Amino acid sequence: MKVNGAQALMKCLKEQNVKVVFGFPGGAVIDIYDELLRNDDITHVLVRHEQAAVHAADAYARVIGDVGVALVTSGPGATNTVTGIASAYCDSIPIVVFTGQVPTMLIGNDAFQEVDIVGITRPCTKHNYLVKNIEDLVPTIREAFHIARTGRPGPVLVDLPKDIVSAMFNFPEPKPVKMRTYRPTYEPHPGQIEKACKAIMKARKPVIYAGGGVIASKSHEELTDLATKLSVPVTMTLMGLGGFPGTDPLSMGMLGMHGTYYANMAVANCDLLIAVGSRFDDRVTGRIDAFAPHAKIIHIDIDPSSISKNVRVDIPIVADCKHALTAMNTWFDRNDEFKKEESAEKHEAWLEQISDWKIKHPLGYLEVPDVIKPQFVVQKLHELTNGDAIISTEVGQNQMWAAQFYHFNHPRTFLTSGGLGVMGYGLPAAIGAQMAARDRTVIDIAGDGSIQMNIQELATARQYKLPVKVAILNNNYLGMVRQWQELFYDKKYAHTGLETAPDFVALAQAYGAVGLRATKPSEVEPVIREALATDNTVIMDFVIAREEGVYPMVPAGKATTEMLLV
Amino acid sequence: MKHTISVLLMNKPGVLSRVTGLFSGRGFNIESLAVAPTLDNDVSCLTLVTDGDDNIVEQITKQLHKLIDVIKVTDMNEVENVEREMALIRVKADSETRAEVLRTIDIFRGKVVDVSPKSYAVEITGTASKIQAVIDIFRPIGIQEIIRTGTIAMVRARKN
């Protein structure tokens, strides 16, 4: 059947089960947009900035557990996606970004809105393509989706020259993607599984350290099964939150720079660390030589290059987390020597020690009369949504308070730019999440600084009637940097004061959204209740304690046991 | 420690910049790099020489292997192999030194590939250290220009 490039793209998107595309039109992709109009089964969400299209696709992918798609034009449209792509790359999120390109005969001639986006995004994509021949178009798109969603997931960019999009050709029938060079390892090595399980049997003070890989591989149930069966306490990275129920007695919450006292103490004192789908990021480890110094380390990761990159690993297991955890669960289930009760008994003293730490230094904050504490706001959000909302965050203090005080019990409910730390992620992410889950409550926990990086997306939320709620923890500061200046720069607040800020309530109204404000603790609950009961997009402006800090905190480069507490 | 790494990769545009970009982006060092198609025209072989401790070289090989277009990565230091490099050296050769230069070329099994009244251009192949030895010998006589290919390497066939 004869089709043009744009029609072929639509057919491919349907083949890949794509329902929603986030994008922004332009000259180079006008044919694709024309074709989109004729395809009712693909919803296009018109964002107000291309960066937001990618963040929205990223969050959409996180919520549905499959690939998100963004479509933008050439030149500035393409360069505006770079931050979103780099963020998805750091967090291993599967997205495919289609960029328009000038016609093939103009490539390299400095044409209008031409940029070498394949060159620009080479270091921050899992792979990328420039389609130069029409025969390559369909196989390339199929390969792009295959690469994005398999192995360690990640962003793939496909650059589409305008003449390719309009060229006519015979559409090739669907066939499975076969690549000579790319074959990720899913199955663990049985010998390594056995070694790991035997090490676990021997351990007296084990800790599971779970990362985003647990969520990516959909292995939260297997992880919960393993931890419960063995009575092993679990700590999660920022990306791993929701991978193990946050309210479970075995949960120690997040570890690392702003992790809990007990999680960091447990890691520092454990004799076995079971790292699952996590990559020993510096925000987790602090000073490397003081990280889990007494522990034997088991590391499960689908990406071999993650293993022994930062920390020496004793038992590496290159595999998909789900496959590896299943293999471990099976090993314990079939091994006669293993008794659930004995394991619980063996770890009793260790769990008691952790309980002591929990009692000694729980996650908390100091209450001050008549002043709204941001942690209180997050706690109230948790309480009034029954912990059942999808939470996106911006980056900074708001992100850490959300991670600490909204106890995530389910995977795919916490959306945050973990690796790259993109201010401006939260609102477009909330839009992507709401597109994926129209019936869920979606809340962006924001700071007054971050929200201003992509605040134009309020228009997108309004246009598509997305009832996302934005909770601004407003301290008139770039709070996280201010906190560092307070602690390590003699309180010299160099350019972190945001004294000139919009009236967020009036701003919400200007977009046709609802604006609410709380200035006293007693107003917090009514404001949240009203927001949750509203069908519209809502901004909640919580005027919080100006100089509140995020605690515990491990100063950069220090051991994780050297925490500053509340 | 110096490592010679051999990489089989798809012969496609942009692949070389993926490899070099990986090195510059991660702060790894490339001392020399040679690349050309193999028997299979869709596949190129890239040989590169790098300097780093075991951890760095382990990361280099893993990161290289992570590139979608890379088929195989071999650290040549871990296998028996032959390494060769070629250099073209233009050396001063006037009436006084001409005979000595020719003798030296002969000793190193080199070949004269260009002659002028005042110079010889010499083709030398061998290990990087042999080429260095020739350069050291020619230097006092007067080297005008050197072009080196960088090392290429091949795993030795099993003898049994």
Side-chain angles (χ1 to χ4, degrees):
Chain A
M1 191 182 62
K2 281 258 179 208
V3 292
N4 67 26
Q7 289 164 333
L9 173 59
M10 292 307 136
K11 281 169 80 77
C12 287
L13 293 181
K14 283 178 214 170
E15 224 176 82
Q16 301 295 335
N17 204 23
V18 173
K19 303 270 192 299
V20 181
V21 172
F22 300 90
F24 199 97
V29 285
I30 200 162
D31 294 284
I32 301 175
Y33 271 85
D34 192 56
E35 200 49 47
L36 263 173
L37 267 193
R38 277 189 274 276
N39 284 272
D40 293 340
D41 34 3
I42 296 177
T43 306
H44 178 268
V45 176
L46 174 67
V47 293
R48 298 300 186 268
H49 186 293
E50 290 88 348
Q51 183 192 344
V54 182
H55 289 325
D58 162 317
Y60 182 87
R62 293 184 200 226
V63 173
I64 65 164
D66 198 6
V67 183
V69 175
L71 165 65
V72 302
T73 194
S74 65
T79 54
N80 275 348
T81 64
V82 173
T83 303
I85 292 172
S87 178
Y89 185 63
C90 285
D91 291 348
S92 306
I93 305 301
I95 55 170
V96 174
V97 177
F98 292 100
T99 49
Q101 183 54 279
V102 301
T104 43
M105 69 274 191
L106 288 182
I107 290 176
N109 285 5
D110 303 326
F112 176 65
Q113 291 195 329
E114 182 194 352
V115 73
D116 172 16
I117 195 64
V118 168
I120 289 173
T121 58
R122 208 169 271 142
C124 62
T125 48
K126 186 172 172 189
H127 197 53
N128 60 16
Y129 299 90
L130 166 62
V131 182
K132 284 182 103 172
N133 298 302
I134 185 69
E135 304 79 52
D136 295 337
L137 177 68
V138 173
T140 300
I141 296 171
R142 288 175 182 157
E143 232 175 73
F145 277 88
H146 175 69
I147 290 173
R149 66 160 71 94
T150 56
R152 178 179 184 165
V156 179
L157 182 138
V158 183
D159 202 18
L160 301 169
K162 190 168 180 188
D163 55 325
I164 297 288
V165 167
S166 56
M168 296 296 293
F169 71 115
N170 279 316
F171 187 82
E173 282 314 302
K175 60 175 179 193
V177 175
K178 263 200 201 137
M179 292 178 69
R180 181 170 179 178
T181 59
Y182 172 72
R183 289 194 199 96
T185 309
Y186 280 82
E187 289 303 327
H189 189 282
Q192 294 298 92
I193 290 289
E194 172 145 0
K195 255 196 219 168
C197 291
K198 284 188 172 161
I200 295 172
M201 292 272 280
K202 266 195 223 143
R204 315 292 298 190
K205 300 190 283 179
V207 164
I208 292 175
Y209 144 52
V214 171
I215 291 161
S217 66
K218 306 186 171 92
S219 57
H220 57 283
E221 281 171 9
E222 289 79 1
L223 177 73
T224 310
D225 184 12
L226 186 76
T228 320
K229 181 166 18 205
L230 298 161
S231 300
V232 176
V234 182
T235 178
M236 286 150 283
T237 69
L238 184 67
M239 290 296 297
L241 292 175
F244 184 79
T247 51
D248 191 287
L250 285 171
S251 168
M252 299 187 290
M254 186 168 71
L255 79 165
M257 182 176 272
H258 293 295
T260 61
Y261 174 82
Y262 32 99
N264 284 338
M265 291 305 285
V267 170
N269 289 283
C270 69
D271 62 357
L272 180 74
L273 187 70
I274 309 159
V276 189
S278 48
R279 61 190 175 96
F280 297 87
D281 180 79
D282 57 282
R283 283 295 190 265
V284 160
T285 60
R287 216 179 76 215
I288 283 277
D289 58 330
F291 180 74
H294 317 294
K296 204 170 193 169
I297 298 180
I298 299 170
H299 188 188
I300 305 171
D301 206 300
I302 198 160
D303 177 4
S305 72
S306 277
I307 288 171
S308 291
K309 185 172 69 183
N310 300 333
V311 167
R312 169 200 52 80
V313 171
D314 301 286
I315 306 174
I317 299 173
V318 176
D320 179 84
C321 292
K322 196 181 180 89
H323 294 236
L325 290 169
T326 304
M328 286 165 92
N329 279 319
T330 313
W331 192 93
F332 284 111
D333 292 344
R334 286 192 187 153
N335 193 310
D336 296 336
E337 279 172 45
F338 173 74
K339 300 267 182 317
K340 204 173 161 181
E341 305 72 37
E342 278 175 25
S343 187
E345 210 174 294
K346 202 162 55 181
H347 300 156
E348 207 178 274
W350 176 230
L351 291 171
E352 233 163 69
Q353 166 74 79
I354 291 167
S355 289
D356 282 353
W357 283 324
K358 277 188 184 176
I359 292 162
K360 201 166 142 205
H361 293 294
L363 208 49
Y365 57 94
L366 303 174
E367 286 178 68
V368 178
D370 295 330
V371 178
I372 301 178
K373 284 297 183 94
Q375 301 91 335
F376 173 72
V377 175
V378 178
Q379 275 177 336
K380 276 285 164 198
L381 284 169
H382 182 260
E383 182 189 320
L384 298 172
T385 56
N386 297 318
D388 212 24
I390 296 177
I391 302 289
S392 70
T393 76
E394 305 290 337
V395 164
Q397 290 183 315
N398 60 83
Q399 180 187 30
M400 291 300 125
W401 285 319
Q404 291 176 333
F405 291 92
Y406 198 98
H407 306 287
F408 298 91
N409 277 330
H410 307 287
R412 308 191 175 280
T413 54
F414 182 52
L415 318 172
T416 196
S417 173
L420 194 68
V422 179
M423 290 175 75
Y425 174 83
L427 178 54
I431 288 170
Q434 191 82 77
M435 282 305 295
R438 297 299 288 249
D439 302 332
R440 299 282 296 270
T441 301
V442 179
I443 304 172
D444 170 26
I445 296 182
D448 53 307
S450 268
I451 191 66
Q452 293 186 63
M453 288 238 177
N454 268 322
I455 201 158
Q456 75 287 344
E457 296 309 318
L458 280 173
T460 309
R462 286 280 301 131
Q463 181 164 340
Y464 297 91
K465 302 196 166 33
L466 302 175
V468 299
K469 319 292 179 222
V470 182
I472 301 177
L473 306 175
N474 188 347
N475 56 10
N476 283 123
Y477 270 125
L478 297 171
M480 190 58 99
V481 183
R482 185 210 57 76
Q483 181 174 339
W484 284 46
Q485 288 167 337
E486 175 188 332
L487 295 170
F488 314 119
Y489 292 82
D490 298 328
K491 294 198 173 190
K492 282 198 261 250
Y493 295 165
H495 302 281
T496 42
L498 296 176
E499 280 78 13
T500 303
D503 173 340
F504 289 110
V505 170
L507 185 116
Q509 287 158 358
Y511 277 101
V514 174
L516 304 168
R517 180 172 290 128
T519 56
K520 294 196 294 266
S522 61
E523 291 167 353
V524 170
E525 185 168 332
V527 160
I528 296 174
R529 281 191 188 281
E530 189 179 343
L532 292 175
T534 307
D535 229 3
N536 198 342
T537 310
V538 180
I539 283 191
M540 296 170 265
D541 185 23
F542 296 102
V543 180
I544 60 161
R546 259 208 109 189
E547 301 206 338
E548 184 68 11
V550 180
Y551 294 104
M553 176 182 191
V554 178
K558 294 269 181 159
T560 49
T561 45
E562 296 174 79
M563 279 164 277
L564 307 171
L565 300 165
V566 179
Chain B
M1 191 187 162
K2 269 194 191 155
H3 281 254
T4 304
I5 293 170
S6 173
V7 188
L8 280 185
L9 33 73
M10 297 307 287
N11 184 6
K12 285 187 198 163
V15 178
L16 187 58
S17 62
R18 285 184 203 282
V19 172
T20 52
L22 188 154
F23 273 73
S24 58
R26 292 188 182 265
F28 302 146
N29 181 38
I30 300 180
E31 276 192 16
S32 86
L33 185 150
V35 55
T38 60
L39 205 56
D40 177 351
N41 229 348
D42 291 339
V43 177
S44 286
C45 181
L46 179 153
T47 312
L48 62 82
V49 180
T50 184
D51 204 358
D53 61 26
D54 289 352
N55 285 340
I56 289 176
V57 173
E58 184 184 335
Q59 265 305 306
I60 288 175
T61 53
K62 282 176 170 174
Q63 294 290 349
L64 277 171
H65 205 259
K66 197 166 148 182
L67 294 178
I68 300 288
D69 285 329
V70 167
I71 302 166
K72 192 176 176 197
V73 182
T74 313
D75 181 354
M76 286 297 188
N77 288 33
E78 291 179 356
V79 288
E80 289 278 312
N81 72 93
V82 275
E83 284 188 17
R84 288 292 178 275
E85 178 172 355
M86 188 173 99
L88 295 174
I89 304 169
R90 192 185 304 284
V91 61
K92 218 164 98 185
D94 52 24
S95 51
E96 276 173 39
T97 57
R98 265 181 123 74
E100 186 196 339
V101 168
L102 273 181
R103 259 199 316 277
T104 312
I105 292 167
D106 200 35
I107 292 167
F108 284 99
R109 294 188 191 8
K111 222 188 324 180
V112 176
V113 292
D114 186 35
V115 183
S116 81
K118 288 188 175 162
S119 71
Y120 284 130
V122 188
E123 172 193 317
I124 298 281
T125 60
T127 59
S129 62
K130 176 181 165 186
I131 291 182
Q132 196 54 50
V134 176
I135 291 168
D136 291 343
I137 298 275
F138 280 152
R139 185 161 282 148
I141 300 169
I143 295 175
Q144 292 169 336
E145 195 180 353
I146 299 177
I147 309 288
R148 299 173 69 159
T149 59
T151 299
I152 55 171
M154 186 185 261
V155 180
R156 280 188 192 274
R158 294 161 71 133
K159 296 289 188 290
N160 46 1

